[in-house]
Amino acid sequence: MESPEVTFTLAYVVFSVCFVFTPNEFHSAGITVQNLLSGWLGSEDLAFVHYHIRRSSATLLIHSLLPMGYFIGMCFAAPEKELYYIHKATEGWKVFVLVAVILPLVTSTVAFYWSQKRWSNHPLARTLAHHALPQSRWRAVASSINTEFRRIDKFATGVPGARVIVTDTWVIKATTYKVYVAQQQDIHLTVTDSRQHELSPESNTPVQFITIQVASINPKVKPFDIRLNSTEYGELREKLHAPVRNAANVVIHQTLSDLFLETFRSLVETNRVYDLPSNQELEPCIGCMQTSASIKLVKNCQEAEEGECQQCYCRPMWCLTCMGKWFASRQDQQHPETWLSSQVPCPTCRARFCIVDVCIVW
Ligand SMILES: [Zn+2]
Ligand SMILES: [Zn+2]
Ligand SMILES: [Zn+2]
């Protein structure tokens, strides 16, 4: 039996991590700073900048109260320790309580300083001031952003802790504590990285995330990275006026079929290979005529008479890419989670095959 202290500590750590990093489950349950303070924060749609100024300040303040919450909770979870008589507690607890008191004092002082002169000291207001024309002030920039954010043709994506918003004039990234802003006419965009999560029984859709660095020619605007799903890349490009450089030569898979091809290829590479009889020669792939055929369908998934798959007697006629495209094209586009387990007909003889039956000719 675990002690209530340990149970409480574990539960509090999990709660704190979820509260700070807000996974989807917490969002749907409404346990976020945005939801708890929605009345005071106002509407993001009506006043984007003011909403985020208040949201980031409140988030900082509330997160800094978490250690104090742990101490108060512990007083109840382990009453025998009599922690509320702090002068009698251990050195470790004294230090913890000191930190738990100082932290919110520091953050509330900072937040109070930010709120002075109608929030002109807030980092976001200062960021916006870097974009203000000499004769105007940060509030003019804020109202330009507010107006453009209200338009429905903006590009918006990302998880709540790292949202990306692109409007006609601005590229904005809103994270938990900080909001990054760059003006479209000043920026260079570079694709720097990509990460692919392949289609697997655990994750039912293949996804590729690409990282784009946003660098401004305005020396006061520090470069920042935005991340998005590769399938949204086309939409982002439409919203951007500047070209996007691809320094890392990242292959961007913009459709589900593109993404699937990667998975298909890597799975087929682990399948059994097919030894080409010595009297046969490989012809060019009849799909693309670019490379020689390299795939033979051999029923390997089950015994000859079992299951839905059938033996195909065609000679190798297709390359791996064309076979992957064929396989993807015969799938239910709405249900990628079924792709790996389904059978499709051979493009030539219509014998049904599954992904295990796709063999690379050796
Ligand atoms: Zn081909
Ligand atoms: Zn066939
Ligand atoms: Zn099969």
Side-chain angles (χ1 to χ4, degrees), residues 48 124 127-128 131 145 161 163 165 170-182 214 221-226:
F48 178 86
L124 178 52
T127 306
L128 298 188
H131 296 284
I145 292 176
R163 282 174 67 214
I165 296 131
W170 306 98
V171 176
I172 302 161
K173 174 179 159 184
T175 67
T176 310
Y177 302 115
K178 194 166 161 56
V179 179
Y180 302 82
V181 178
V214 181
V221 179
K222 295 222 168 59
F224 59 93
D225 283 343
I226 56 176

Side-chain angles (χ1 to χ4, degrees), residues 301 309 354 357:
C301 55
C309 290
C354 67
D357 307 334

Side-chain angles (χ1 to χ4, degrees), residues 117-118 120 125 128-129 131-142:
K117 294 185 271 170
R118 288 169 58 224
S120 292
L128 298 188
H131 296 284
L133 298 170
Q135 68 276 23
S136 73
R137 314 229 342 242
W138 73 272
R139 281 177 221 283
V141 181

Side-chain angles (χ1 to χ4, degrees), residues 298-302 309-310 343 352-357:
V298 182
K299 186 178 175 187
N300 281 329
C301 55
Q302 279 174 305
C309 290
Q310 297 157 321
Q343 284 102 12
R352 299 186 73 76
F353 70 96
C354 67
I355 205 159
V356 179
D357 307 334

